[in-house]
Amino acid sequence: MKDLFIAGGTSGMGKGLAIHYLRQGSKVTVSGSNRLRGKEFLDEASRLGAADRASFIQADLLSLSENHRVILEVKKRHKSLDGVVLTAMQQFPKRKLTPDGYESTFALYYISRFVLSYGLTELLERGNNPVIVSIGGTGMTKGEIHWDDLNLQNKYGLLKATLQGGRANDLLGVAYAENHKGTKTRFILNHPGYTHSGTNHVAQPFKSILLVMGKLFAQTVDNSIQPIIRLIDNPPPQPLIAWDRTKAVDLSLPTLNKQDAMKLFHLTKHIL
Ligand SMILES: NC(=O)c1ccc[n+]([C@@H]2O[C@H](COP(=O)([O-])OP(=O)(O)OC[C@H]3O[C@@H](n4cnc5c(N)ncnc54)[C@H](OP(=O)(O)O)[C@@H]3O)[C@@H](O)[C@H]2O)c1
């Protein structure tokens, strides 16, 4: 039985993991931006007889202050955590700035995960075999950090923003492991592969197209989360674990470069 927090646990892989661990008897808190999806999660938990072990925090993680509020809410519900799963994500076809002035993909895929990882470490260090799992595109080498234009003011594109977010998420894991040598919490970077999920915030007609494509070609959420469950239940001993579907990722990949990771860490501390 575990204590878990899942950012983005109201749909897709995050919800799949939340329901799996509720079935196992764990205590699970999830967050999501949409209140209705949160209610559906809580209703499902009630049907499983797990109402007293399930909580939902409504929060838009694009906002820095909302991330800090979520940390406080999680601390009210859990004395310790055995796992934090970072999976909140949506795509932004047009460049959009957050209330704090960050490009939205960067804010959600990286800044929010940075704040939650470091902000929940105290609870994780009190946990049993604790892990942070950040679900993204680890193992992919496309895309880069635009060091002089993190906010992508010049030539914004959805793919460019998503790839930068994915590379920043990789470096978050590397820097976290560097900064927590000798502590209990391990950081797991995961690429789940193409999965039949991730369309909540997509506008029509693309949403219908993606749903049909997903049904035809993608793995089910249930399949995608199996390797993640194995990693959470039996994490390898090293501080940083990078996993692409069912295989370990070579930690010497340029996308997992320690110098870049520490450069982004210090830059992030500065801009926050
Ligand atoms: N699906 C794929 O094929 C695939 C492939 C590779 C990697 N990934 C990665 O896997 C992760 C999970 O993807 P998924 O397919 O399971 O996604 P999903 O079904 O869309 O679930 C995303 C979760 O994030 C939440 N979320 C989105 N925007 C938010 C915001 N502004 N504030 C707070 N919560 C927010 C959603 O809640 P609300 O809807 O209520 O906002 C939902 O709970 C993502 O990081 C994605 O990049 C997915």
Side-chain angles (χ1 to χ4, degrees):
M1 191 173 127
K2 293 178 181 294
D3 271 58
L4 298 173
F5 168 61
I6 305 181
T10 55
S11 89
M13 290 172 265
K15 184 174 182 183
L17 288 166
I19 297 295
H20 168 84
Y21 282 104
L22 284 177
R23 284 202 176 105
Q24 306 284 308
S26 295
K27 181 175 172 183
V28 182
T29 297
V30 305
S31 68
S33 72
N34 182 295
R35 223 172 259 286
L36 183 61
R37 276 193 271 279
K39 184 183 175 312
E40 284 167 2
F41 165 74
L42 292 176
D43 289 346
E44 204 165 329
S46 291
R47 287 196 292 277
L48 294 173
D52 55 332
R53 292 182 281 110
S55 315
F56 165 65
I57 304 167
Q58 190 277 328
D60 185 346
L61 296 178
L62 284 168
S63 145
L64 263 182
S65 62
E66 283 292 85
N67 280 279
H68 290 298
R69 180 176 65 82
V70 166
I71 292 169
L72 293 178
E73 298 280 338
V74 173
K75 284 182 175 172
K76 279 186 207 159
R77 288 168 170 79
H78 299 264
K79 290 195 174 70
S80 64
L81 284 172
D82 309 305
V84 166
V85 179
L86 304 168
T87 184
M89 181 44 189
Q90 65 186 81
Q91 295 191 322
F92 299 90
K94 290 197 175 131
R95 183 169 180 270
K96 181 182 150 193
L97 292 184
T98 68
D100 310 293
Y102 305 123
E103 186 281 314
S104 291
T105 321
F106 192 71
L108 195 53
Y109 209 162
Y110 174 67
I111 301 271
S112 159
R113 294 181 187 207
F114 180 102
V115 172
L116 294 175
S117 299
Y118 286 91
L120 291 170
T121 294
E122 191 190 331
L123 287 193
L124 283 159
E125 284 297 308
R126 285 188 218 139
N128 192 12
N129 228 359
V131 291
I132 297 172
V133 182
S134 194
I135 305 183
T138 302
M140 286 179 66
T141 50
K142 289 201 169 67
E144 60 188 299
I145 307 292
H146 299 270
W147 295 105
D148 298 325
D149 185 22
L150 289 176
N151 259 348
L152 303 181
Q153 269 182 286
N154 302 314
K155 294 192 186 157
Y156 179 83
L158 182 149
L159 186 62
K160 180 176 171 181
T162 306
L163 288 172
Q164 169 170 268
R167 299 296 69 80
N169 178 52
D170 286 346
L171 295 180
L172 167 64
V174 178
Y176 185 94
E178 278 296 291
N179 287 328
H180 292 87
K181 282 184 181 156
T183 61
K184 276 165 55 178
T185 308
R186 274 156 279 174
F187 204 107
I188 301 175
L189 290 164
N190 173 269
H191 183 351
Y194 181 31
T195 304
H196 189 25
S197 55
T199 55
N200 291 356
H201 294 268
V202 180
Q204 292 292 8
F206 303 107
K207 184 173 181 139
S208 298
I209 296 167
L210 288 179
L211 284 172
V212 173
M213 298 260 295
K215 200 155 182 74
L216 288 175
F217 302 114
Q219 314 176 77
T220 60
V221 163
D222 203 38
N223 278 347
S224 295
I225 62 173
Q226 296 311 316
I228 304 174
I229 291 168
R230 287 196 288 275
L231 287 168
I232 294 175
D233 290 348
N234 292 301
Q238 69 269 22
L240 176 68
I241 297 142
W243 213 262
D244 182 351
R245 282 152 274 200
T246 55
K247 290 198 176 101
V249 171
D250 180 357
L251 295 182
S252 68
L253 276 186
T255 47
L256 301 174
N257 179 279
K258 282 183 191 166
Q259 279 176 338
D260 286 347
M262 293 316 291
K263 180 176 168 183
L264 187 61
F265 170 76
H266 290 298
L267 196 55
T268 310
K269 292 288 275 182
H270 178 73
I271 60 176
L272 286 179

